[in-house]
Amino acid sequence: GFKDPDLRMPPASITKLMTAMIAVETIALTDDITISAAADATPVGYVGQPEVLEGEVWVMRDLLANVLVQSGNDASTALAEGVAGTVEDFVALMNAKAAALGMADTTFLNPHGLDNAEHLTTARDLVTMGRAALDYPVVLEIARVKHITLKIAGREIEIDATDRDLGVFPGLFGLKTGDTANAGQVLLSYTVTQHDRIIAVVLGTPDRRTATREI
């Protein structure tokens, strides 16, 4: 049931799905990306979250896993810079792709979805974005990962999925959770039934799991 599919709301970390799609279509999974001071300084999402460190060299695929599995904000900044040189130029790519997909009510201002009053989208637009993401096998594959160990510059990084519904919620294959003070809990979910593929989105809810079950 649609409640208000065209209400403009903050998407929080669902933003990172757009970041991932653009990265995958622009650079190779084997490309090296050096972490900048700006990426290192980007606020992480939760206490104890493994960080990217200035000067480290990450392979694009590992950075993508950081972005999609543990929802790394700092990794999203690094990925944006690796693709476009600057975050500003990357944001221009994000908005161009949103427009090309027909996401008429969406404005992206950053690659990670940290709160910004003008960084807004709608449930309808996010379903459109989710449908587009189904055409990126590597994005779908990584979005389903529950735990991964990355070996970066002599340190091992343990990354756990922020999507705690994976493996708990039957048939849920991702795609992206989010959670900020302004956005509340958000979830763009994807499941496969015997007959079709279903994409659902909930925004601004205190309990994304219950809200998604209701859908």
Side-chain angles (χ1 to χ4, degrees):
F2 282 115
K3 286 201 164 83
D4 195 346
D6 299 310
L7 182 66
R8 298 190 84 209
M9 301 275 287
S13 290
I14 295 176
T15 301
K16 296 177 175 112
L17 200 58
M18 178 63 89
T19 298
M21 286 192 285
I22 291 171
V24 166
E25 67 192 31
T26 310
I27 62 174
L29 291 170
T30 52
D31 280 5
D32 285 339
I33 295 173
T34 302
I35 306 302
S36 71
D40 190 342
T42 304
V44 293
Y46 54 87
V47 175
Q49 183 173 21
E51 300 179 52
V52 299
L53 303 175
E54 181 181 0
E56 282 183 338
V57 178
W58 283 60
V59 176
M60 189 290 229
R61 188 188 174 94
D62 288 345
L63 214 46
L64 190 65
N66 188 325
V67 168
L68 289 175
V69 178
Q70 75 159 9
S71 205
N73 299 318
D74 49 359
S76 300
T77 297
L79 197 57
E81 291 175 337
V83 170
T86 67
V87 167
E88 291 72 23
D89 286 348
F90 187 80
V91 168
L93 295 179
M94 295 174 75
N95 287 311
K97 186 165 182 68
L101 289 172
M103 297 167 64
D105 292 315
T106 296
T107 307
F108 291 119
L109 286 186
N110 61 57
H112 40 61
L114 287 169
D115 282 336
N116 182 309
E118 305 296 313
H119 186 96
L120 296 168
T121 185
T122 65
R124 190 186 302 276
D125 281 359
L126 289 180
V127 167
T128 298
M129 188 170 85
R131 194 177 288 132
L134 300 184
D135 292 331
Y136 294 76
V138 69
V139 171
L140 292 185
E141 175 195 330
I142 294 174
R144 292 178 66 173
V145 170
K146 280 181 70 75
H147 179 87
I148 189 170
T149 303
L150 304 177
K151 290 183 171 60
I152 310 294
R155 64 184 181 125
E156 281 199 359
I157 301 172
E158 301 285 336
I159 287 179
D160 288 297
T162 54
D163 193 345
R164 295 176 188 87
D165 298 320
L166 285 171
V168 176
F169 196 136
L172 186 78
F173 295 145
L175 285 159
K176 193 72 198 75
T177 61
D179 199 342
T180 68
N182 206 23
Q185 290 197 8
V186 300
L187 175 65
L188 179 64
S189 53
Y190 161 58
T191 188
V192 180
T193 68
Q194 198 173 347
H195 304 292
D196 50 21
R197 301 187 294 184
I198 299 169
I199 293 174
V201 64
V202 293
L203 298 171
T205 172
D207 183 347
R208 61 187 170 225
R209 188 182 293 187
T210 300
T212 299
R213 278 189 198 280
E214 284 170 4
I215 291 176

